Every structure is written in structure tokens, then in C-alpha cells.
């Protein structure tokens, strides 16, 4: 049996970067499918970039999908190591280890980054860190807005989150601990005297870039003045992310009375996908219905 898909990312030239649960990464070329039946819809860049993982395979709005078997068997294996590194590894073992130790020392010195199991953070610590990075962003005239788990906290849904997520237009003048696969970097910021919290500073560089830029442009503010992605754009970003926790967040947002303007969500989708918006709108109508059913069950105590 072939492995299930763990994550997928749309690339330029209608290709997909697919990570499987066994750790293998493959690149899948969708171009041969673009002239076939309903797959012609994927010529729309916005729709193509809306790919997500569903039940171990991948899916686009409107039910377009490719199985994990197809992706694995027909995808081109991608080496995680630069070409030639395997042959040189043994010969340069001692030197490589020395460089690795030196680089780690530099990273520890400048970022105080520590490798550890990521633990959930409190809302108070998250907001403290968010305030610090927003202040720095404003001083450097960088637009940013809170998203992710801490944004859900701000809207009233307290769930576990291990970091602070922002959508941004440019990098902060801070040393980065790592590059984000989707685009952007991670920083480590002090909370209190001893805690260090990771901040994912998202600057999309893939097919979802346009969506995130639109969400950032439409950001609002919390009562404390922190810039935050609106509930309507949060619904769209969660829908496009497609992970289990995103589905939970999305349905919670839709169930809250008066929080999400559903017509505005549809307007945003129409603006993003144009004549291809029928399929994501159909998906969204189903999500609206599912949220309403869940809310009715909650009210009836079932």
C-alpha cells in the first residue's frame, strides 16, 4: 500500500509539492490533466492554488481530486539533500560536524532558539508576544495581522496552540530560526522572563499568495488594537488549509451568532475565483448547512 498524503503545496507551472506520511516528498505535474474534462477548471490559478489534503489524498473545490496512489506512483521523487552530498558525506564527516556545531552555536547565540517538544501556550503569553511583534512591525512600517490559533482565542474559541501566527507583507528585522515552507520565516520571541514563544511570520510565496494578501488588506483590529484577520477571511483561509483542526475552527466560527457575515464570505470567494467560484461556493454552502445543523443539535442538547 502506498503512503497517504500529509501535506500539499501548489507550485508554479501547475506542479504540486507533495509530502507523504512516510517522509517522502514528490513533485507531481498536473499539466497533462489540464485538458481533460473537469480538470480544465484548474487552469484558473486561484482554483489550482486551493488544493488541500482530504482523507489522505488531495482535493480542489468542487470535488476535483487525485488519489494518493496516483500522486505517489506518478510523482517525481525529490531529493531533500543537494546533489552530490551523499558521496561527499563520509569524506567530510569531521569537517561537516565542526561546521554544524559552529552554526548551531551561532544560532543559539543570536536567537536563543532551543530545540524542544512544542507545548501549548497561554492566551496571555501569546498576546504579550503578539503585542511585541506588532509594535516592531509598526515601527518598521510592515503590515501584519494575527491569524491561526491565537486569532481563534481572540474571537472566543480557546483551543491549544503552540505558537503565534501572523500574515505579513515583509520580514521583521529579527534573526529567523527557520524558513516556513509556505513562505515566510519563524522567529523566537521572549514572553515574561523565561518563556520563549515561536512566531510564524507568514509571507506566502505560492499559489495562495493572492488570497493571503487580500486577507491582510481586509484586516481589522481587536479591542486591544492588535491587527487581526477578519472572521470572514479566517473562514476562507481555514477552508483552503483543509486540515482537521482548520475544519473545527471553521465550523466554530460559522456557528457563532453574528460573528461571520456569510454573504461577505461569498463575495470574497467570487472576487478570488471569478467564473470558477461555483465549486468553492457550493462547498461553502455545505459548510454553512453543517454548522447550522451542529448549532441546532447543541441547542437541543443532542
Amino acid at each position: 500500500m502506498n503512503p497517504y498524503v500529509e501535506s500539499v503545496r501548489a507550485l508554479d507551472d501547475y506542479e504540486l509539492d507533495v509530502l507523504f506520511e512516510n517522509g517522502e516528498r514528490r513533485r507531481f505535474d498536473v499539466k497533462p490533466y489540464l485538458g481533460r474534462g473537469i480538470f480544465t477548471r484548474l487552469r484558473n490559478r486561484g482554483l489550482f492554488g486551493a488544493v488541500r489534503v482530504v482523507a489522505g489524498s488531495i482535493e480542489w473545490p468542487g470535488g476535483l481530486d487525485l488519489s494518493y496512489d496516483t500522486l505517489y506512483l506518478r510523482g517525481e521523487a525529490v531529493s531533500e539533500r543537494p546533489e552530490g552530498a551523499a558521496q561527499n558525506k563520509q569524506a567530510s564527516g569531521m569537517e561537516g560536524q565542526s561546521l554544524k556545531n559552529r552554526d548551531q552555536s551561532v544560532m543559539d547565540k543570536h536567537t536563543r532558539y532551543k530545540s524542544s517538544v512544542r507545548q501549548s501556550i497561554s492566551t496571555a503569553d501569546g498576546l504579550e508576544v503578539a503585542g511585541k511583534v506588532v509594535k516592531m512591525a509598526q515601527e518598521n512600517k510592515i503590515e501584519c495581522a494575527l491569524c491561526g490559533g491565537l486569532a481563534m482565542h481572540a474571537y472566543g474559541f480557546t483551543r491549544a496552540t503552540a505558537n503565534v501566527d501572523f500574515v505579513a507583507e515583509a520580514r521583521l528585522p529579527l534573526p529567523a530560526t527557520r524558513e516556513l515552507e509556505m513562505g515566510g520565516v519563524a522567529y523566537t520571541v521572549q514572553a515574561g522572563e523565561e518563556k520563549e514563544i515561536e512566531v510564524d511570520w507568514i509571507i506566502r510565496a505560492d499559489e495562495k499568495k493572492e488570497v493571503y494578501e487580500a486577507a491582510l488588506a481586509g484586516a481589522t483590529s481587536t479591542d486591544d488594537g492588535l491587527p487581526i484577520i477578519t472572521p470572514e477571511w479566517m473562514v476562507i483561509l481555514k477552508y483552503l488549509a483543509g486540515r482537521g483542526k482548520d475544519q473545527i475552527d471553521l465550523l466554530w466560527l460559522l456557528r457563532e451568532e453574528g460573528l461571520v457575515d456569510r454573504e461577505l464570505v461569498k463575495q470574497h470567494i467570487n472576487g478570488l475565483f471569478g467564473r470558477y467560484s461555483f465549486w468553492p461556493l457550493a462547498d461553502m454552502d455545505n459548510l454553512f448547512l453543517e454548522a447550522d445543523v451542529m448549532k441546532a443539535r447543541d441547542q437541543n442538547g443532542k
Side-chain angles (χ1 to χ4, degrees), residues 96-109:
Q97 186 62 40
S98 176
L99 289 172
K100 180 179 179 181
N101 292 340
R102 184 196 67 187
D103 290 345
Q104 183 62 49
S105 176
V106 170
M107 179 178 284
D108 288 341
K109 177 180 178 181

Side-chain angles (χ1 to χ4, degrees), residues 7 10 62 130 150 162-163 185 252 294:
S7 66
L150 194 61
N163 56 8
V185 293
W252 184 90
M294 293 174 69

Side-chain angles (χ1 to χ4, degrees), residues 272-284:
L272 289 169
F273 298 108
R275 66 190 182 97
Y276 293 94
S277 62
F278 172 82
W279 297 281
L281 285 175
D283 285 347
M284 198 58 64

Side-chain angles (χ1 to χ4, degrees), residues 5 17 44 48 77 89 134-135 141 196 250 260 262 268:
V5 176
D17 177 38
N44 176 274
F48 180 73
K89 182 178 179 182
V134 166
K135 181 180 179 181
K141 295 181 171 54
E196 291 180 339
L250 188 162
V260 175
R262 296 184 179 187
H268 290 332

Side-chain angles (χ1 to χ4, degrees), residues 20-50:
F20 293 88
E21 288 186 338
N22 65 352
E24 290 186 62
R25 186 181 297 276
R26 295 186 180 236
R27 184 160 295 185
F28 187 87
D29 189 358
V30 184
K31 289 192 293 296
Y33 294 79
L34 297 180
R36 303 181 186 178
I38 60 174
F39 281 94
T40 57
R41 304 173 192 167
L42 296 181
R43 293 173 182 172
N44 176 274
R45 288 283 185 178
L47 192 64
F48 180 73

Side-chain angles (χ1 to χ4, degrees), residues 150-169:
L150 194 61
M152 293 300 299
H153 288 205
Y155 285 125
F157 183 37
T158 304
R159 65 158 173 83
T161 186
N163 56 8
V164 177
D165 298 318
F166 276 91
V167 178
E169 64 175 358

